[in-house]
Amino acid sequence: MSLLDPLVAKLASIGSLSATDRDLLLALPIVSRLVAANQPVVHQGDKPKTSVLIVSGMLARYQELTDGGRQLVSFHLTGEMPDLHTLYIRTMDHSLVALKDSVIGHVPHDAIHAAVRASGSLTALLWRSTLIDAAIFRQWMTNNGRRGPVAGTAHLLCEIMLRSRTAGNVDKDGACEMPFNQQQLADALGISLVHANRTLKALKERGTAVIERGRLRVMDWDALRAAAGFDPTYLHLQDA
Amino acid sequence: MSLLDPLVAKLASIGSLSATDRDLLLALPIVSRLVAANQPVVHQGDKPKTSVLIVSGMLARYQELTDGGRQLVSFHLTGEMPDLHTLYIRTMDHSLVALKDSVIGHVPHDAIHAAVRASGSLTALLWRSTLIDAAIFRQWMTNNGRRGPVAGTAHLLCEIMLRSRTAGNVDKDGACEMPFNQQQLADALGISLVHANRTLKALKERGTAVIERGRLRVMDWDALRAAAGFDPTYLHLQDA
DNA sequence: CGAAACGTTGAGCTAGTTCAATCCTGGTGG
DNA sequence: CCACCAGGATTGAACTAGCTCAACGTTTCG
């Protein structure tokens, strides 16, 4: 039992993790703390000397605009490191916030750098994880752009469900956690709060998917997938 | 004189490149070819065994939607490697196209892997370049989302100008290449062709910036920057 | 119970879309 | 050199998706 187990599991899910690399990971120093829902973790402009590991819970990243608007750019599940990129990019161009009560761990850059120096295969795996992040950004760009609000919403729901599934976070009645409020959902899709609400309502009424009490339940996966034009290739879960 | 010189220059512009690493780069095998404007280079679904280096010219990446719509997700200048990520992510989730007549080189993954194994500092620099790519994606997401069409367009123009400047591609009257047609610009911003046209017109009439004959000329940088809410931090040109 | 945060709904309005015509430019063949 | 053509740029006009504003309902939790 280590705080780092979720990281090991996450990396194993996107590629093959050797025993040596696993041990390197488990030897990383880590300091954990609790973060309450809606509390900031790292701020736009910061130059952190550690990277955050989500031990449990869910975080999101967002950019703050000059006019006060917000753009969510990603969400992150247990085992992920939302600001791994600060290893090679000093200053944060966005902020990190907890979507629900979470336990996070801080891992010093120095230690990660040492691990990376020690193992080429571990480097490859961590690099790969940042590349998958980028692939997700591209899809979100399309969610905000050409895909349009309805398909974009459906696409986001597909992604949440699939990523939760591979993280083993889907319960028996096919629901997974989704602690976004509708404002945050709107900020992730670049639409208004009211429109987000109406889009969700439409999906519910068509018997496709519902969000209730912070959980997403997909009632008709094929319909949701079709509405989204969802192709899971971009999550690159298989092709390591 | 090597086909790889632009790559050396590009990497030197985002971090410090040791003599050893430079020599590793210059020793990479590369096969070049000409690509005419609007010709495809790599296709969504491909599993390339090489990565593309832009020796000269300009390329763009885009996703094709089921309804025929397109989303541009990035553009790339001389010296960049638009599909470096295929090193660790097998299948392309988007396509690569030439925006103008270009010379590209194919560099085998094997050779890059070997170079990466040989030098930790080179690994860091290449990794960093993909992380900067991701930072740009985040901004484009915002361009397509919360920033809105006007500010989004201005932001894109700022980025093009600044990236061209650091690549040394700005001529004396302050103009740089921008071989997008208006449809492509619209596809990059998730707006209609007509609206893209009108937004450009407005920027021109306000004396901010013009695009003429495939070149972008910024007449009032401060005004453009203000309209965009542009903060160049995300390009991470200084903080290596 | 009461307060606060979040979700839902209606109504009017506007930014941005679609459709369709026209103009401009560079390139080609005669 | 000029007529012609194709791709791109520009414009107008009608339409509508999505926004804003504002009210009201619901859940959660101290």
Side-chain angles (χ1 to χ4, degrees):
Chain A
M1 289 312 315
S2 156
L3 291 173
L4 289 148
D5 285 338
L7 176 61
V8 169
K10 162 71 187 182
L11 291 180
S13 83
I14 62 164
S16 63
L17 184 70
S18 72
T20 324
D21 288 346
R22 193 199 52 217
D23 293 344
L24 273 174
L25 290 174
L26 291 174
L28 288 172
I30 181 169
V31 178
S32 75
R33 64 186 175 98
L34 250 145
V35 189
N38 301 313
Q39 291 309 300
V41 175
V42 185
H43 231 263
Q44 209 160 323
D46 287 356
K47 297 178 197 290
K49 298 230 175 317
T50 64
S51 284
V52 167
L53 169 66
I54 308 178
V55 177
S56 74
M58 200 162 171
L59 307 198
R61 298 194 259 173
Y62 65 91
Q63 297 186 334
E64 206 141 10
L65 304 189
T66 45
D67 68 355
R70 285 187 173 191
Q71 176 78 45
L72 281 214
V73 297
S74 66
F75 69 89
H76 295 278
L77 306 176
T78 300
E80 299 184 357
M81 300 189 74
D83 62 347
L84 220 209
H85 62 276
T86 56
L87 269 188
Y88 296 108
I89 274 183
R90 263 195 231 301
T91 98
M92 291 285 288
D93 51 36
H94 56 268
S95 301
L96 194 55
V97 67
L99 288 175
K100 56 167 299 200
D101 296 351
S102 302
V103 178
I104 65 169
H106 290 276
V107 183
H109 285 168
D110 293 346
I112 307 177
H113 278 131
V116 157
R117 245 178 279 121
S119 164
S121 53
L122 183 58
T123 303
L125 208 48
L126 289 173
W127 191 347
R128 178 170 157 86
S129 79
T130 64
L131 293 173
I132 293 175
D133 249 37
I136 294 172
F137 290 151
R138 289 191 288 270
Q139 292 296 332
W140 282 43
M141 197 187 304
T142 306
N143 284 349
N144 277 274
R146 269 291 127 81
R147 195 121 58 200
V150 182
T153 304
H155 200 276
L156 181 57
L157 298 187
C158 282
E159 182 185 313
I160 291 171
M161 183 49 79
L162 198 53
R163 284 173 62 187
S164 295
R165 188 179 307 271
T166 79
N169 290 333
V170 176
D171 61 19
K172 275 163 193 164
D173 46 326
C176 70
E177 225 165 322
M178 182 172 167
F180 292 68
N181 65 31
Q182 294 187 352
Q183 182 60 64
Q184 290 165 330
L185 199 73
D187 286 342
L189 294 161
I191 61 181
S192 73
L193 167 62
V194 174
H195 196 54
N197 179 288
R198 292 192 165 125
T199 305
L200 289 177
K201 187 186 175 194
L203 287 174
K204 181 181 358 180
E205 282 173 352
R206 275 191 271 154
T208 311
V210 222
I211 297 169
E212 42 193 12
R213 272 167 283 110
R215 323 208 89 231
L216 163 65
R217 192 157 47 82
V218 175
M219 298 176 292
D220 184 342
W221 175 257
D222 287 338
L224 187 63
R225 184 186 165 129
F230 183 76
D231 173 355
T233 309
Y234 75 99
L235 292 170
H236 298 281
L237 295 166
Q238 312 296 341
D239 67 355
Chain B
M1 290 307 319
S2 156
L3 290 175
L4 290 148
D5 285 337
L7 175 60
V8 169
K10 162 73 188 180
L11 291 180
S13 82
I14 62 164
S16 64
L17 184 71
S18 72
T20 324
D21 288 347
R22 192 197 53 215
D23 293 345
L24 272 174
L25 290 174
L26 291 174
L28 288 172
I30 181 169
V31 177
S32 74
R33 65 186 174 99
L34 250 146
V35 189
N38 301 312
Q39 290 307 301
V41 174
V42 185
H43 234 262
Q44 210 160 322
D46 288 356
K47 298 178 196 292
K49 299 231 174 314
T50 65
S51 284
V52 167
L53 168 66
I54 308 179
V55 177
S56 74
M58 199 163 173
L59 308 198
R61 298 194 260 174
Y62 65 90
Q63 297 185 335
E64 206 142 11
L65 304 188
T66 45
D67 69 355
R70 285 187 173 191
Q71 176 79 45
L72 281 214
V73 297
S74 67
F75 69 90
H76 295 277
L77 305 175
T78 301
E80 299 183 358
M81 299 187 74
D83 63 348
L84 219 211
H85 61 276
T86 56
L87 269 188
Y88 296 107
I89 275 183
R90 262 195 231 302
T91 97
M92 290 286 287
D93 51 38
H94 55 267
S95 301
L96 194 55
V97 67
L99 287 175
K100 56 166 297 200
D101 296 351
S102 302
V103 178
I104 65 169
H106 290 276
V107 183
H109 285 168
D110 292 346
I112 307 177
H113 279 131
V116 158
R117 245 176 280 124
S119 163
S121 54
L122 183 58
T123 303
L125 208 48
L126 289 173
W127 191 347
R128 177 170 157 85
S129 79
T130 64
L131 294 172
I132 293 175
D133 249 37
I136 295 172
F137 290 150
R138 289 191 288 271
Q139 292 296 333
W140 282 43
M141 198 186 304
T142 306
N143 284 348
N144 277 274
R146 268 291 126 81
R147 194 121 57 200
V150 182
T153 304
H155 200 277
L156 181 57
L157 297 188
C158 282
E159 181 184 314
I160 291 172
M161 183 51 78
L162 198 52
R163 284 172 63 187
S164 295
R165 188 179 308 271
T166 79
N169 289 332
V170 177
D171 60 22
K172 276 163 194 165
D173 45 326
C176 70
E177 225 166 323
M178 182 172 168
F180 293 70
N181 64 31
Q182 295 188 350
Q183 182 61 63
Q184 289 165 330
L185 199 74
D187 287 342
L189 294 161
I191 60 179
S192 72
L193 167 62
V194 173
H195 196 53
N197 178 288
R198 291 192 167 125
T199 305
L200 290 178
K201 187 186 174 192
L203 286 174
K204 182 181 358 181
E205 282 172 353
R206 274 192 273 154
T208 311
V210 221
I211 297 168
E212 42 192 12
R213 271 166 284 110
R215 322 208 91 230
L216 163 65
R217 192 158 47 84
V218 174
M219 298 176 293
D220 184 343
W221 175 257
D222 288 338
L224 187 63
R225 185 185 164 129
F230 184 77
D231 174 354
T233 310
Y234 75 99
L235 293 170
H236 298 281
L237 296 167
Q238 312 295 342
D239 67 355

